Amino acid sequence: MAKATRNDVARLANVSTAVVSYVFNKGPRNVSEKTTKRVLQAARKLNYQPNSIARALRTGNSNTLGAVINDMTNPFNAGVYEELEMLAAEQGYSMLFAASHGSPEREHLVTEQLINRNVEALFISPCENIELSPINTESCKFIVFDVDRKLANATTISTDYAKAVETGMAHLFEHGHTNVDMIIGNSLNGISDGRVKGWYHAFTQRGIPAGHIEYTSFTRNGGYEAMLRILDAPDRPTAIFAGSDLIALGALRAMHERGIRVPEEMAIISFDGTVDSQYTYPELTVLEQDPKAIARLALETAIDPDFKPSLHLLEAKLVIRQSCGCNMETK
């Protein structure tokens, strides 16, 4: 069967070929909602696919967005990018995905490859302390996730890590815990993000000596090994703040293996609030990020014609379950 053309769509929709172009190129002339709907219905019926390369050459817009993901197995990352892909499709954009697998060298390589594919904007979850200096950021817009500070040539979108951790620590203090250790990843070249800053600030505000921070990777195994080190230390804490749900999952396994009752002997709070946190025993109390809000803001930023570098911090929600010591009597 021959491939449908713009002329075919125009005939079926009873419009000119120029109107078909206006619909798929989003201009330069406006098309009424009723006519647009008729053109799109005709295109779907004919399985018409516009030539994106030719359109990009004509308009300078590829209607393609790129994403570089550092860990495709992380449930939180998956939630953000799944929502982002769906929202982009609703706006007529396609997405190209690449994985860095935690390698800064590969991160720069796939970033350059996506830029060469003429993406209009690029979303990146960095695996290092990224400044984007080696990358040509003038050729497309950059939106950086999980960085809670300003960058000179990109928009950064993140949960307000510091505020979230202070909220979580305040809850642990209310339970009477003053000897609290933190387990957190150090993937950003050892640079402390807002989670660590919020952690220290929570202790300073109350005049309490800060607990120990055990650095590891943002993985289940990282949390498991870090928790074993904490349990083998002479000054065992009464509570743990985990920097991610994956870390918390590993920490819970280590505590269960050592016969530590949670939360009776050791409480734990986690950061992320992915679906996995609802299926642990006990259920994890979490600082819940909002992947849908992050994705929505990221797409709005990416397609904004007046794009300019900026910082956006979103609030996390304290979701109280059992691992902190609350609600145990209901189970």
Side-chain angles (χ1 to χ4, degrees):
M1 181 181 291
K3 185 177 180 180
T5 67
R6 185 176 55 178
N7 288 336
D8 296 329
V9 175
R11 278 195 295 271
L12 184 59
N14 195 27
V15 298
S16 68
T17 55
V19 170
V20 176
S21 295
Y22 299 155
V23 169
F24 283 97
N25 294 330
K26 295 181 168 56
R29 293 186 180 179
N30 293 326
V31 180
S32 71
E33 183 177 345
K34 183 178 180 181
T35 301
T36 297
K37 184 177 180 180
R38 194 165 71 246
V39 169
L40 294 177
Q41 287 175 338
R44 281 194 294 270
K45 186 173 183 178
L46 295 170
N47 196 26
Y48 170 70
Q49 298 294 329
N51 188 324
S52 59
I53 295 176
R55 181 178 61 195
L57 292 174
R58 290 194 308 271
T59 68
N61 299 322
S62 66
N63 274 36
T64 304
L65 308 171
V68 179
I69 310 172
N70 62 11
D71 181 3
M72 300 185 77
T73 67
N74 187 303
F76 177 72
N77 287 346
V80 171
Y81 285 106
E82 181 180 25
E83 183 71 17
L84 185 58
E85 192 277 334
M86 290 190 295
L87 292 173
E90 290 175 2
Q91 296 298 320
Y93 289 83
S94 58
M95 297 265 321
L96 297 176
F97 293 91
S100 67
H101 303 296
S103 166
E105 293 76 19
R106 179 168 174 76
E107 183 173 274
H108 286 295
L109 173 64
V110 296
T111 296
E112 291 286 5
Q113 289 174 341
L114 287 173
I115 291 175
N116 291 335
R117 296 287 296 273
N118 197 35
V119 296
E120 293 182 36
L122 194 145
F123 308 96
I124 182 167
S125 302
C127 60
E128 63 171 347
N129 183 30
I130 192 166
E131 293 293 347
L132 300 178
S133 54
I135 299 172
N136 178 15
T137 57
E138 295 180 359
S139 56
C140 77
K141 307 166 186 175
F142 270 75
I143 296 91
V144 180
F145 294 133
D146 306 324
V147 174
D148 57 349
R149 56 188 172 81
K150 288 185 178 180
L151 294 177
N153 47 5
T155 284
T156 49
I157 300 175
S158 171
T159 297
D160 191 336
Y161 292 155
K163 184 177 179 180
V165 172
E166 288 182 39
T167 299
M169 287 301 299
H171 188 69
L172 287 176
F173 290 143
E174 289 174 2
H175 276 284
H177 296 289
T178 57
N179 186 5
V180 185
D181 283 3
M182 170 181 266
I183 306 177
I184 193 167
N186 60 352
S187 58
L188 296 181
N189 287 346
I191 303 298
S192 297
D193 65 21
R195 281 168 282 208
V196 175
K197 296 174 184 176
W199 156 265
Y200 280 119
H201 189 243
F203 284 103
T204 301
Q205 277 189 315
R206 291 162 178 80
I208 302 172
H212 170 69
I213 297 181
E214 189 69 35
Y215 286 98
T216 185
S217 60
F218 280 107
T219 63
R220 299 170 184 86
N221 188 60
Y224 175 76
E225 294 182 345
M227 192 70 237
L228 290 178
R229 292 193 294 270
I230 289 174
L231 294 176
D232 288 336
D235 183 20
R236 182 179 292 182
T238 64
I240 298 292
F241 191 102
S244 74
D245 286 350
L246 293 183
I247 288 175
L249 292 175
L252 280 172
R253 175 182 171 179
M255 287 190 276
H256 290 324
E257 288 182 355
R258 292 290 183 87
I260 304 297
R261 293 180 301 150
V262 180
E264 292 87 351
E265 294 178 87
M266 191 173 295
I268 182 169
I269 283 183
S270 177
F271 188 91
D272 269 346
T274 61
V275 66
D276 288 352
S277 66
Q278 301 176 50
Y279 292 92
T280 60
Y281 184 80
E283 293 179 18
L284 279 168
T285 292
V286 295
L287 277 306
E288 185 179 76
Q289 301 192 78
D290 189 341
K292 291 186 177 182
I294 292 172
R296 185 167 55 251
L297 178 58
L299 183 65
E300 290 172 356
T301 302
I303 65 178
D304 184 354
D306 299 319
F307 172 90
K308 60 182 63 176
S310 56
L311 169 65
H312 301 275
L313 295 179
L314 286 73
E315 288 195 12
K317 176 184 177 183
L318 176 63
V319 179
I320 297 173
R321 298 191 182 115
Q322 296 173 283
S323 67
C324 61
C326 292
N327 303 326
M328 288 300 292
E329 69 280 356
T330 65
K331 297 290 181 179

